[in-house]
Amino acid sequence: MIFDGKALAAEVKQSISERLQGFRVQYGRVPCLAVVLVGNDYGSGRYVANCEKNTAAVGMDCRVLRFPESTTEDELVSQIEMLNENKTVDGILIQMPLPKHIHTERIVDTLSPDKDVDGVTDKNVASLWKQKRSDYSRFCVPCTPRSAMRILKAANIDLTGKRVVVVGRSNIVGLPVAKLLMNENATVTIAHSRTRDLAALLRSAEVIVAAIGQAHFITEDMVSDGVVIVDVGINSDPQTGKMVGDVDTERVAPHCTMITPVPGGVGPLTICSLMENTIDCFLRHC
Ligand code: NDP
């Protein structure tokens, strides 16, 4: 089965839209997401434009604050402090990567954990690693891992006792998704660029989450029949320039019980998770 992320995202957006209508009546306003975009990174620009489009479609308030590449670290810190204090702003997304002259850690440390919609602050990271069950209402977990988990649930994949290999150990995808998978009682191995004989490890996996960042990295000889694959990668095909994932989907898909395509798999749900995390922030303080 090739998972239809767009169809699931459409359902989620419909439900978000209905919840927002209720909020207007109950609270007199809808949640507000502030997105901070510094510089001209192409991928970031596209993602933020997508945020604007999707929030508008469901009726969520979204304010994009665009700053030039030359913005100083101190200027950015004071802008984020203002957003932290602003009672009409419920969630703040600081779009990464930031320009090289800005220390990401200082910016993340400035962000209020109560408005941290991508679960990047120390407090939210610690909460994720301390919790034994995935309860998204108490704090925000990173949007992409939340989406990957939603897909596995929607596809009725029972993770209990399953051998899962997560390829990638980044703070924003690999590590949090591994923790969420463990919360569902999967037996998780995290692989990375120094993993020896990755192909053999992947062949032993019943579920693979690929978060590598290399086009068509996982090929058909690396998987076993019946495997479930969530492909988080967003890459440009070196030959065609088109967006592709980390998995050679065309050749690998016939071996899979379920696989997410790129585009149209995890991506459409990530913005849904961002909007849901914003709603969760709103509900926690209203
Ligand atoms: P990072 O570059 O931060 O992490 C990549 C990980 O892959 C690292 O842990 C790295 O290992 C590992 N890796 C790289 N090469 C190999 C290799 N040859 N064998 C095994 N492991 C390898 O990327 P992100 O986690 O931020 O993103 C991963 C992918 O997901 C990217 O394509 C990104 O664009 C995409 N993405 C998609 C989102 C979505 O909503 N769909 C959202 C966020 C990201 P090591 O640690 O050893 O370097």
Side-chain angles (χ1 to χ4, degrees), residues 47 144 147 167-174 191-195 198 210-214 217 231-235 246 266-267 270:
Y47 183 68
T144 303
S147 310
V167 194
R169 56 176 165 179
S170 71
N171 288 332
I172 199 70
V173 189
H192 46 77
S193 65
R194 308 291 176 90
T195 299
L198 180 61
I212 308 163
Q214 288 189 37
F217 181 87
D231 187 353
V232 175
I234 299 177
N235 314 293
D246 289 340
V266 177
T270 297

Side-chain angles (χ1 to χ4, degrees), residues 1-7 151 210 216 229-235 243-250 253 256 258-269:
M1 175 183 66
I2 308 260
F3 190 86
D4 189 346
K6 279 191 197 158
I151 288 173
H216 296 158
I229 301 184
V230 178
D231 187 353
V232 175
I234 299 177
N235 314 293
M243 187 201 283
V244 293
D246 289 340
V247 181
D248 182 356
T249 314
E250 202 181 311
C256 298
M258 190 281 277
I259 184 167
T260 61
V262 179
V266 177
L269 287 153

Side-chain angles (χ1 to χ4, degrees), residues 11 15 18 29 33 35 70 76 93 96 116 124 129-130 143 148 157 163-164 166 172 185 197 213 215 227 260 272 281:
E11 278 174 34
S15 123
E18 284 162 18
R29 73 177 184 96
L33 170 67
V35 181
S70 57
L76 192 56
L93 176 72
M96 304 291 176
D116 167 22
N124 286 336
W129 285 92
K130 276 160 73 177
C143 299
I157 309 295
R163 288 185 304 277
V164 181
V166 176
I172 199 70
N185 300 312
D197 205 354
V227 69
T260 61
C272 293
C281 288

Side-chain angles (χ1 to χ4, degrees), residues 8-284:
L8 180 57
E11 278 174 34
V12 178
K13 281 188 263 184
Q14 179 60 33
S15 123
I16 291 175
S17 173
E18 284 162 18
R19 288 179 78 190
L20 294 181
Q21 283 168 26
F23 292 159
R24 277 190 200 285
V25 177
Q26 196 175 349
Y27 303 105
R29 73 177 184 96
V30 291
C32 171
L33 170 67
V35 181
V36 175
L37 178 62
V38 188
N40 309 308
D41 181 79
Y42 175 72
S44 293
R46 277 188 60 171
Y47 183 68
V48 171
N50 234 335
C51 287
E52 284 180 296
K53 193 177 106 191
N54 280 280
T55 47
V58 299
M60 181 176 277
D61 192 3
C62 178
R63 298 177 208 167
V64 178
L65 288 85
R66 291 184 167 82
F67 299 103
E69 184 87 18
S70 57
T71 305
T72 67
E73 194 171 296
D74 286 343
E75 283 167 343
L76 192 56
V77 164
S78 67
Q79 289 292 338
I80 291 166
E81 283 170 346
M82 279 194 282
L83 289 172
N84 286 342
E85 294 303 316
N86 187 335
K87 292 206 168 13
T88 67
V89 170
D90 302 287
I92 304 168
L93 176 72
I94 302 168
Q95 183 59 39
M96 304 291 176
L98 293 169
K100 287 198 171 59
H101 64 276
I102 294 176
H103 291 94
T104 302
E105 214 165 296
R106 180 171 171 219
I107 300 304
V108 169
D109 286 346
T110 305
L111 176 61
S112 163
D114 297 336
K115 297 189 178 185
D116 167 22
V117 285
D118 212 7
V120 291
T121 53
D122 288 357
K123 187 177 173 199
N124 286 336
V125 172
S127 299
L128 171 65
W129 285 92
K130 276 160 73 177
Q131 73 164 2
K132 292 209 169 61
R133 285 170 196 278
S134 295
D135 171 6
Y136 302 131
S137 65
R138 289 179 24 245
F139 61 92
C140 292
V141 302
C143 299
T144 303
R146 184 172 176 170
S147 310
M149 298 308 293
R150 165 174 256 138
I151 288 173
L152 290 167
K153 190 164 183 212
N156 289 318
I157 309 295
D158 180 7
L159 291 161
T160 303
K162 289 267 164 64
R163 288 185 304 277
V164 181
V165 175
V166 176
V167 194
R169 56 176 165 179
S170 71
N171 288 332
I172 199 70
V173 189
L175 293 183
V177 83
K179 180 61 171 75
L180 295 173
L181 289 158
M182 271 188 280
N183 286 356
E184 299 304 318
N185 300 312
T187 302
V188 182
T189 305
I190 303 174
H192 46 77
S193 65
R194 308 291 176 90
T195 299
R196 273 187 286 130
D197 205 354
L198 180 61
L201 181 66
L202 290 174
R203 280 193 295 271
S204 73
E206 294 165 281
V207 178
I208 296 171
V209 177
I212 308 163
Q214 288 189 37
H216 296 158
F217 181 87
I218 297 180
T219 47
E220 63 178 321
D221 55 310
M222 294 175 156
V223 301
S224 293
D225 284 342
V227 69
V228 167
I229 301 184
V230 178
D231 187 353
V232 175
I234 299 177
N235 314 293
S236 149
D237 185 313
Q239 261 126 47
T240 63
K242 287 189 179 155
M243 187 201 283
V244 293
D246 289 340
V247 181
D248 182 356
T249 314
E250 202 181 311
R251 292 188 178 80
V252 170
H255 299 276
C256 298
T257 302
M258 190 281 277
I259 184 167
T260 61
V262 179
V266 177
L269 287 153
T270 297
I271 288 189
C272 293
S273 298
L274 177 64
M275 295 192 287
E276 288 181 323
N277 280 352
T278 305
I279 290 174
D280 292 343
C281 288
F282 168 83
L283 290 174
R284 268 181 235 121

